[in-house]
Structures are given as C-alpha cells and as structure tokens.
Amino acid sequence: LGIEYATAHGARVINLSLGGPWDAAYTPAIEAAYKAGVVLVCAAGNQSQALSNNQSTWQSPVCNDGPNPLTDNEILGVGATDANDRLSYYSNYDTSTGKHFVDLCAPGDAIYGPLFQDSAFPEFAPYWGTNSGTSFSSPQVAGAAALLLAHNPSLTPAQVYALLKSSTDDIDSLNPGYAGELGGRL
C-alpha cells in the first residue's frame, strides 16, 4: 500500500482522498503509520450515509481507525461542508458511539483548482475549474496538520488531532438533525 511506502520514506502527514467499501486490509498499514508518528487524514466519503456502530455502514479507509475502530482514533476523518458551514448533501457523517469516524468537516463544495486535462476530449480541455467532495476537504485538513508539525515537530498524531479538533467551530446549530455527528468545522 501507499501508506506503507510513505511511512517508510519519512512522511509525517498522509492525506487519503480515497474510499470504498469496508476492508480490514487497510488497518495494519494505518496502525503501523500511526505508531510511527504519522498523521493520517482521510476523506469521510460521499455516500450521504451515517457511519455507525454497525460495520455494514463502514467505509475504508476512514473507518479503519485501528484494531478497535469504535474506540481507537488513528485517522482524522473529514466530512464536507458548503460555503455556509452546512453539511454537503453527499458527505458521510458519524452516528457511532465513539464519534471517531468523522472528526471534523472542511469546505468541500465547488473547490477551485486544476482539473484533469486532455485536449483530445473537449470535456477535458479546461485546465482550471471546480469540483466537490470529501476528497477536496481532506487535503485542507492535511495541510493544517502539516503546518502544526512544521511549527512543533515533536507533536504526536494524537496531539495534532486534538489541536485541530479543539480549534474548530461548532457547526451543530447550522446543521439541525446532525448535532454531534460532524465533529467541528475547520
């Protein structure tokens, strides 16, 4: 896995803008990276679903939080919000008892940046444009984690997670029906 490669080559922060059905195969690499001091930031997923205590709702790698996913927190899961701090319609959210799958949210709607370009296809001709998804929220949080580590390289992943989560805005009042299920807002 890329997680193992990045860990072996000294990465301090790994952004995981990927996801799919639950697969326990991610857990050993995530656990090893976390124990090696790597901050793992992961997109929560775009299925518009609750990640709950029931494993049938879990997505990987955001729910591969360690050997005991309902109590461990080896990944900083990131949901998506719109420009008004409201949960994006597609973003997964967290109804589990541990509330470790979605730790916080960051902007994910209409993020402007470079696109895939292939001038042979008109739909892929523009170089710049907008896109949406938790895969666009996650790198923003990974960047914030990298800034924290640049300022204080001795921080552990748990300390980085705690600092990021404690410095977010509470967006529960803006998201009726999702109170306590979104973490904070970066």
Side-chain angles (χ1 to χ4, degrees), residues 17-109:
S17 285
L18 57 105
W22 168 252
D23 186 346
Y26 284 96
T27 302
I30 288 167
E31 185 176 10
Y34 183 81
K35 287 181 178 177
V38 178
V39 170
L40 297 129
V41 183
C42 188
N46 302 325
Q47 292 77 28
S48 304
Q49 74 179 28
L51 304 173
S52 71
N53 288 2
N54 186 332
Q55 189 174 335
S56 69
T57 68
W58 295 359
Q59 296 287 307
S60 282
V62 72
C63 294
N64 295 82
D65 255 330
N68 302 300
L70 292 174
T71 57
D72 295 339
N73 197 28
E74 296 180 356
I75 289 179
L76 193 65
V78 183
T81 55
D82 64 18
N84 297 308
D85 290 342
R86 291 189 179 89
L87 181 67
S88 299
Y89 74 90
Y90 51 81
S91 182
N92 291 346
Y93 51 97
D94 190 350
T95 62
S96 70
T97 52
K99 303 288 191 242
H100 296 302
F101 297 143
V102 178
D103 297 287
L104 51 86
C105 289
D109 282 355

Side-chain angles (χ1 to χ4, degrees), residues 7 21 28-29 43 45 59-60 62-63 83 90 94 97 99-100 123 127 134-135 139 152-153 158-159 161 171 175:
T7 301
Q59 296 287 307
S60 282
V62 72
C63 294
Y90 51 81
D94 190 350
T97 52
K99 303 288 191 242
H100 296 302
E123 64 272 22
Y127 184 73
T134 59
S135 289
N152 187 348
Q159 290 170 321
Y161 299 170
I171 58 173
N175 292 279

